[in-house]
Each structure stands twice: as C-alpha cells, then as structure tokens.
Amino acid sequence: MATKSMATKSPAAPRTSFVRERFSVFSECLLTGVWITVAALPLVTFPAAFAAGSRHLRRYLAGEAGGVREFAADVREAFRSGWRISLLWWAALALLAFDWQVARSGLLPGGRPLIAVSLLGLPAVAVWGLRTAAAWRPGTPWAQTARTAGRRTFTDPAGSLLLVGGFVALALATWQVPPLAAPALGCLAAAAVAADRR
C-alpha cells in the first residue's frame, strides 16, 4: 500500500520542479526588465541596457553567476563601445516616424507608398536594433554584430515575428497599466535571447 502511494506521488515531483523552474525564469525576466528600464532612462543608453539585460538572462539560463554589478558593468561596456550604433538606430527610427507623419499629413504627393515604407520600416529597424543588442558580446565590434543581426532579421522571419509580437505585448501592457512597461521589457529581452539562440 505504501509502495503504491509512493509510486503515485513520484511523478508529481518533476512536474513541481518544472513549474518552479519556469516561474523562476519568469521572475528573473521581470527583474531584468526593471534593470533595463532604469539603465535606459537617458534613452540613448537603451540599446546598451537591452544588451546588458539580454546578456544577464543568457548567464542566468546557463546557470552562471551574475547580478546587478555584472549588469551595470555590461551596460558601461556596451555603451562605451556601441554609442554610435545606438545613435544610428535612434536616428533611423526618428526618420521613419517623421516620414510617416509627413505622409499622413497629405503635404506630399504620393504619400501612400511612403506610409507603407514607414510602416514596414519601423518594425524592421526596431527588430534589427533588438537583435543587434541581444547578440552583443563584450569584445565583439558592434558594427559586426549589427551586420549579422541585419541579415538574421530577414533570414529568420519567425524570430523577427517573435520580437514583433513582444513589441505588441509590451505596447498593450504599457497602454493598460503603464507601470507594467518595466517588467514587460524583460520579457521582450527574453524573446530577443530566444530569437538569438534559434
């Protein structure tokens, strides 16, 4: 009888461990999102903060030690070596957003094609930036990482769509409950890491 009872209870242990492990990863994503938000407050540091957050999640999934000190060191290194890419990314997003606004205003003839270019270009540039940040490693030139991420943005459409879905989830969370934007950003970083590891 006792043997039978033990046999029925044993399958529950791995299930509990699996749920605990997944919840632990989710909690780490939420915490990482808060770190990214704080580090990205100057805006120009967003790619560096996102790169550091992605690197932290990669370390966590590999079972390596790492905390806020390592995250801060990664932010400093990523910004020091990649501020030019950061400015280029923000400039491209601003230009596409400006084109979209001008095209919608009706001031230019043939505005519809420009609207289409802007609507396709904005998510493509955003995904390229996130994939670049998620793939960054200390010591690797940002320009090389950006070229590789640019190719993967188009050669791995499933991974890029995963990030677009992450953007949509982040926008919905921010729209419904603005304070959720910070932890949701960690989930977007996790999606970027998943896309990078595909």
Side-chain angles (χ1 to χ4, degrees):
M1 187 99 174
T3 307
K4 186 176 180 182
S5 175
M6 287 173 62
T8 55
K9 286 183 180 179
S10 59
R15 178 68 182 163
T16 304
S17 176
F18 174 81
V19 171
R20 186 182 297 124
E21 179 186 343
R22 292 297 178 255
F23 184 74
S24 175
V25 171
F26 179 65
S27 301
E28 197 67 25
C29 290
L30 300 183
L31 175 63
T32 303
V34 174
W35 290 355
I36 293 172
T37 302
V38 171
L41 285 177
L43 288 184
V44 73
T45 58
F46 175 77
F50 198 84
S54 300
R55 186 164 153 72
H56 170 73
L57 289 176
R58 212 178 291 112
R59 273 197 303 262
Y60 182 82
L61 292 172
E64 300 172 6
V68 71
R69 287 185 181 180
E70 289 79 6
F71 172 81
D74 283 340
V75 171
R76 285 192 297 271
E77 173 60 23
F79 184 71
R80 184 192 63 78
S81 60
W83 63 270
R84 291 178 184 86
I85 293 291
S86 176
L87 290 178
L88 175 66
W89 185 64
W90 280 114
L93 288 175
L95 179 62
L96 286 167
F98 176 74
D99 287 347
W100 182 61
Q101 288 291 342
V102 170
R104 283 184 61 218
S105 69
L107 297 175
L108 289 178
R112 286 187 178 180
L114 191 56
I115 290 176
V117 168
S118 301
L119 287 178
L120 292 174
L122 276 168
V125 170
V127 166
W128 165 70
L130 294 184
R131 294 194 86 143
T132 300
W136 174 80
R137 305 287 192 281
T140 304
W142 274 86
Q144 177 185 331
T145 306
R147 283 193 296 270
T148 304
R151 284 193 298 271
R152 293 203 67 196
T153 298
F154 297 102
T155 58
D156 178 27
S160 296
L161 285 174
L162 176 68
L163 288 178
V164 171
F167 266 124
V168 172
L170 176 63
L172 287 174
T174 305
W175 175 61
Q176 291 178 350
V177 186
L180 284 181
L185 197 53
C187 296
L188 183 60
V193 170
D196 184 54
R197 293 175 66 169
R198 284 171 53 82

